Amino acid sequence: MIFRRKIKAKHRPKDGLSRTENLISQPHTKHRVFNNPDVLTRGWYPVCASGEILKNEAKSFRIAKQRVVLFRSESNTLKALDAFCPHLGADLGNGRVVGENIQCYFHQWEFGGDGCLKKIPCQPELNESFNKVKNLSYPVKELYGHIWVYSHPEAAHSMLKPSGLEQSDVSAYYFGEVELFAHHHVMMANGVDLQHFATVHDLDIKFDFDIDENNDGTFIWRLKGKIPDDNFKGRLARFLLGDEAEYHVKFGGGSVVTISYGVNAKIFGKPVPTLNVLWGCLPNDNGLSRVRIFFVTKKRYGLIGRLKSAVLHVLTVGLLVMLRDEDIEAFPNMRFNTHRLIKADTSLGRFIQLIDKCELSDWAGINDS
Ligand code: FES
Ligand SMILES: [Fe+2]
């Protein structure tokens, strides 16, 4: 039943210590990438809301062990560079924007959005001989009202849009940031953990799935299954949606996931839009992660269009809260371990294999453990 559990998980500590516990009696399987806090994948990371950096402003942020400066130039172009000034290492986030460049506060060296040193205003005779000085620059994108930075100088894929909306203009409602009880790969895996529908959500749908694996760090699951009629939840779902449920999960670079619920759904025989949630993840230093949650719809115009989007957002909140409140009970103090994957975990195992193939970013720094 939907309300069978008391939601207590939010009162439990999120300290990440389970990684260090029971290591002798219950050894931990360490993966190359999956659930590994020592590495960071090449992917898009949500840095801040668009409004946090206005025209002619700069600010630096930390992602894993990397500090990156974002600045918005006079022509309103966003740029992302390594944050420490190549001269003596001042944080360029304390600098000021001059035209299309960022000027370091300390000795006023100026860098363009490509990271190249453009001029040294107070030592102009050095301009020529120092024109090879360069900071790394990173792809940056504004989408869903947020600024996203790619953790490598070239992006292998564009920022994710939910399944079916790839070619559409989209709008999003930002639901907020949540601190997870686990590494974000564990949260992502939950979307394709097919056993837990029966055990956690009381909905024993036997999903079949296929996976499109792209060679740009993105992959997509398409899952379809018969809705059972052996309990109230199943019968209600069948009454509303028909016999089958379909959903799609898209993963990008090990840092972003979108789930489209109710793909091809019909209510009383009429097609209805899918409900799309997107999670953009950020690792913390303690092996746990934070996640920013967005509800995404096709961009609609006019009063009726906006009203329709608002209704879809409200429905998505309801769905997400219901699923999350059931899922969240599993995670406190979990030390996700993959010693005994069984046949029913095939989908989960495939996810771990694919995440383990992700390219790594230098932003995890040098492992000093
Ligand atoms: S430290 Fe940046 S100009 Fe000197
Ligand atoms: Fe779930």
Side-chain angles (χ1 to χ4, degrees):
M1 281 170 54
I2 299 175
F3 302 111
R4 73 178 171 175
R5 293 176 178 87
K6 277 203 183 130
I7 308 306
K8 291 175 284 181
K10 57 178 165 260
H11 303 303
R12 293 178 200 151
K14 301 177 191 182
D15 53 21
L17 289 178
S18 60
R19 280 185 189 280
T20 63
E21 293 170 339
N22 298 24
L23 292 181
I24 303 298
S25 61
Q26 296 183 295
H28 188 212
T29 311
K30 192 162 181 179
H31 294 267
R32 175 182 173 265
V33 180
F34 173 77
N35 188 24
N36 183 346
D38 298 332
V39 301
L40 188 82
T41 52
R42 291 183 193 177
W44 291 96
Y45 291 86
V47 183
C48 65
S50 289
E52 235 181 277
I53 301 187
L54 303 176
K55 198 162 134 177
N56 295 323
E57 282 187 357
K59 201 169 179 181
S60 76
F61 296 87
R62 180 182 162 105
I63 304 166
K65 289 186 180 161
Q66 196 79 0
R67 186 160 286 279
V68 174
V69 61
L70 290 182
F71 69 96
R72 204 187 282 274
S73 72
E74 196 170 87
S75 66
N76 217 9
T77 312
L78 260 178
K79 299 289 178 188
L81 309 178
D82 268 343
F84 300 121
C85 176
H87 178 217
L88 291 179
D91 180 354
L92 292 170
N94 297 327
R96 68 186 182 109
V97 176
V98 179
E100 298 306 301
N101 300 336
I102 176 92
Q103 184 185 74
C104 181
Y105 174 83
F106 207 5
H107 311 99
Q108 299 186 342
W109 289 26
E110 272 183 38
F111 300 87
D114 56 1
C116 294
L117 178 66
K118 299 296 178 195
K119 57 178 156 177
I120 307 178
C122 52
Q123 309 274 336
E125 69 283 4
L126 294 181
N127 284 346
E128 190 83 358
S129 48
F130 276 67
N131 64 5
K132 294 260 179 343
V133 174
K134 190 177 185 316
N135 244 5
L136 286 179
S137 68
Y138 300 100
V140 58
K141 173 92 182 155
E142 274 186 287
L143 195 63
Y144 312 127
H146 260 64
I147 298 172
W148 304 77
V149 177
Y150 194 85
S151 57
H152 189 71
E154 292 97 39
H157 60 272
S158 47
M159 179 52 206
L160 281 200
K161 287 182 180 176
S163 177
L165 296 182
E166 289 84 355
Q167 309 307 326
S168 306
D169 285 342
V170 289
S171 70
Y173 171 76
Y174 175 49
F175 186 59
E177 182 181 282
V178 175
E179 194 187 343
L180 299 174
F181 287 103
H183 187 281
H184 54 276
H185 292 161
V186 174
M187 182 273 295
M188 288 177 167
N190 191 51
V192 292
D193 172 359
L194 303 186
Q195 281 196 78
H196 93 289
F197 284 96
T199 53
V200 172
H201 299 304
D202 288 327
L203 209 47
D204 191 10
I205 304 179
K206 303 278 187 266
F207 280 106
D208 287 326
F209 65 91
D210 60 67
I211 305 168
D212 276 355
E213 182 189 349
N214 305 313
N215 55 11
D216 61 359
T218 65
F219 33 96
I220 174 165
W221 255 244
R222 295 189 180 82
L223 307 103
K224 204 191 262 197
K226 286 252 177 293
I227 303 173
D229 60 359
D230 58 353
N231 65 9
F232 171 74
K233 222 185 208 182
R235 284 193 290 276
L236 179 66
R238 278 177 87 109
F239 174 70
L240 290 170
L241 301 171
D243 295 355
E244 282 206 322
E246 181 173 352
Y247 76 104
H248 295 175
V249 190
K250 271 175 89 171
F251 300 96
S255 61
V256 179
V257 55
T258 77
I259 302 187
S260 302
Y261 299 95
V263 175
N264 297 320
K266 292 182 175 149
I267 291 192
F268 302 125
K270 290 223 155 101
V272 290
T274 53
L275 303 179
N276 304 295
V277 185
L278 182 142
W279 292 263
C281 306
L282 285 162
N284 286 337
D285 287 345
N286 60 359
L288 307 183
S289 300
R290 287 164 290 146
V291 61
R292 295 194 176 152
I293 305 170
F294 303 83
F295 304 143
V296 184
T297 62
K298 196 163 131 184
K299 196 168 185 123
R300 295 181 174 82
Y301 299 93
L303 186 62
I304 301 289
R306 285 208 291 273
L307 213 56
K308 198 169 169 186
S309 291
V311 170
L312 290 173
H313 290 323
V314 170
L315 289 173
T316 314
V317 175
L319 179 70
L320 188 71
V321 166
M322 185 181 85
L323 295 175
R324 178 205 62 186
D325 280 356
E326 293 177 345
D327 283 326
I328 208 168
E329 287 287 322
F331 290 102
N333 281 339
M334 176 192 283
R335 194 190 65 204
F336 200 87
N337 210 353
T338 50
H339 270 329
R340 287 193 186 83
L341 292 182
I342 58 173
K343 190 158 180 280
D345 296 318
T346 302
S347 169
L348 199 55
R350 287 287 292 131
F351 172 76
I352 293 167
Q353 282 174 347
L354 289 173
I355 284 283
D356 269 352
K357 287 206 260 177
C358 284
E359 298 263 21
L360 297 182
S361 162
D362 294 335
W363 289 10
I366 295 161
N367 188 0
D368 50 12
S369 62

